[in-house]
Amino acid sequence: MDIQDPYLWNTWDRGTPYLYGINLQLRGENVSTCFGIREFKVINERWFLNNKPFFPRGTNIIPEEYISTYTKERALKDAVLLKGANVNAVRVHAHITNPVFYEVMDKAGILVWQDFPLQWGYSKDIEFAEEATKQIVAMAKLLHNHPSICVYCTHNEPTHNRYETVPLLAAVLKKADASRYIKEASDFREHPYPGWYWGHYRDFSALLGKPLPSEFGAQALPVLESLKKTVGEDVWPPDWDKWAYHNFQYDQTFNVARIDMGNNIEEFIRNSQEYQYKLLKFAIEVYRRAKYKPITGIFQFMFVDPWHGITWSVVDYWRIPKKGYEALKIAFQPILVSMVLTREKVERTGMDRFPLGDVYVINDTLEELKDVTLKIYLNNGNRFEVIRTNIAYIPPDSVSQVIDTRDLLQKKNSPFKIQFEKAEELIASMEPGKYLMEAELVDRSGNILSYNKEGFEVIESVVKVIKPF
């Protein structure tokens, strides 16, 4: 049957996820299913949905340890949480989950990257290859009608099977379903973990994992109520062996991330969640500012806990968000105003007291922005507008640098130079303490298109700074 001028399935941020229903009568029995019409392709690592460029703002998900207990109600709640975090793509990580998940993703308009359930190394014998090829064809048949599934990946982090079993499975899968993009493997090199397994989270500035980082993140403790459900009522001092059983990583927490335990469990939870928030927000914004140059998409690890664990999730098993969820909500906005802070501490009477660097607007929509206004505020309990500039035009699907401090501050009479100097004077008049720098992108009607915030601290000067002539 040909459908003329069909309604196309789109992600929620690109339009409507149109679905068609089909009813068949087979030997007196009614059979029905849903399907969608869309086109998806990958060209030079860039994704295209319905012939329009698409940047996946993604996350990894293992929604439930016991697949049979994952209900439609739980899947619907997960869809609300995903869309609330501005996620438009999700990677079903290293397994096939309950069918209700895919039904809900179809209707919610969230694009799915589906892994075949292979992870790390396996036997090289012929029996394994035969069974794997049999099961990968079965996966293609099982999931065929779901328009949300646009990408298949045959193996996560393969080791010695990488150039033997993996190409075989990719070829078999492509023959079984030529309508989807087949990614051979999600390799270790695509999974950067600075700030957790090594280095510092600012190492993300090197665009590690490019062009499509498909795992990155850090662990965080859940809220106290959930932590007690996980490890028991006696949470302080921690029983490290019991915590390790629930996935907590002691070495990475204290020796790499250098998270401070504080004086009680409430402080430890707060410090842990704050660290995950900072790492995720920094990494995502670095990647998004490099959209298409060379980053073609991102998939944070991971979204929810599949069991009573202490993991990299931003939402715990009981679906209570951690602070890292807010990082996704902010940094995954379809229109994002992104500020680069030059430092996290400034001396009140020193030089360079206003730590704002370059500012970018990332527009993932297919709509151009005209006559918008960028406003930047200092907030220490009282809110002061310190920067205002009008932006005539921001192209669709683009990254625009709207403040370049290296260029503008060199101009003696630059409006930005004057505004920066007034901001520094304002900071010098305030008491030391923690501040927020807030940014708003506002349209002509006063609607806020994007909001962002960065924290910094003002401290007293220890040494008097003498400015040179």
Side-chain angles (χ1 to χ4, degrees), residues 386-455:
V386 292
I387 298 287
R388 179 186 286 244
T389 183
N390 295 321
I391 304 166
Y393 179 72
I394 294 174
D397 189 41
S398 66
V399 177
S400 301
Q401 187 171 357
V402 295
I403 294 181
D404 185 340
T405 54
R406 289 169 299 182
D407 175 45
L408 293 170
L409 290 179
Q410 290 175 358
K411 300 176 181 178
K412 289 185 178 180
N413 297 318
S414 162
F416 283 105
K417 187 174 180 65
I418 296 170
Q419 292 182 76
F420 271 59
E421 288 174 348
K422 287 184 177 179
E424 290 190 336
E425 292 172 5
L426 183 62
I427 290 174
S429 69
M430 294 178 176
E431 292 297 320
K434 292 187 177 180
Y435 288 71
L436 280 181
M437 191 176 298
E438 300 174 299
E440 292 178 351
L441 192 68
V442 183
D443 68 13
R444 284 177 290 184
S445 300
N447 300 310
I448 297 176
L449 303 176
S450 180
Y451 168 83
N452 207 340
K453 60 183 178 180
E454 297 288 349

Side-chain angles (χ1 to χ4, degrees), residues 314-365:
V314 295
V315 179
D316 71 30
Y317 179 75
W318 293 273
R319 281 11 185 206
I320 299 174
K322 305 173 186 178
K323 189 173 182 182
Y325 180 84
E326 183 187 354
L328 267 62
K329 186 175 183 178
I330 293 174
F332 273 172
Q333 292 174 89
I335 300 171
L336 173 67
V337 54
S338 179
M339 299 175 287
V340 178
L341 256 61
T342 57
R343 53 199 297 179
E344 295 181 0
K345 286 187 178 182
V346 295
E347 292 189 347
R348 186 167 67 93
T349 56
M351 299 174 66
D352 301 320
R353 296 186 295 275
F354 186 46
L356 178 66
D358 301 334
V359 181
Y360 298 79
V361 173
I362 298 96
N363 182 12
D364 280 357
T365 76

Side-chain angles (χ1 to χ4, degrees), residues 210-231:
K210 61 187 177 185
L212 183 65
S214 51
E215 277 190 40
F216 61 93
Q219 287 192 353
L221 300 178
V223 297
L224 182 57
E225 178 187 359
S226 298
L227 183 61
K228 288 181 177 180
K229 290 179 182 179
T230 300
V231 299

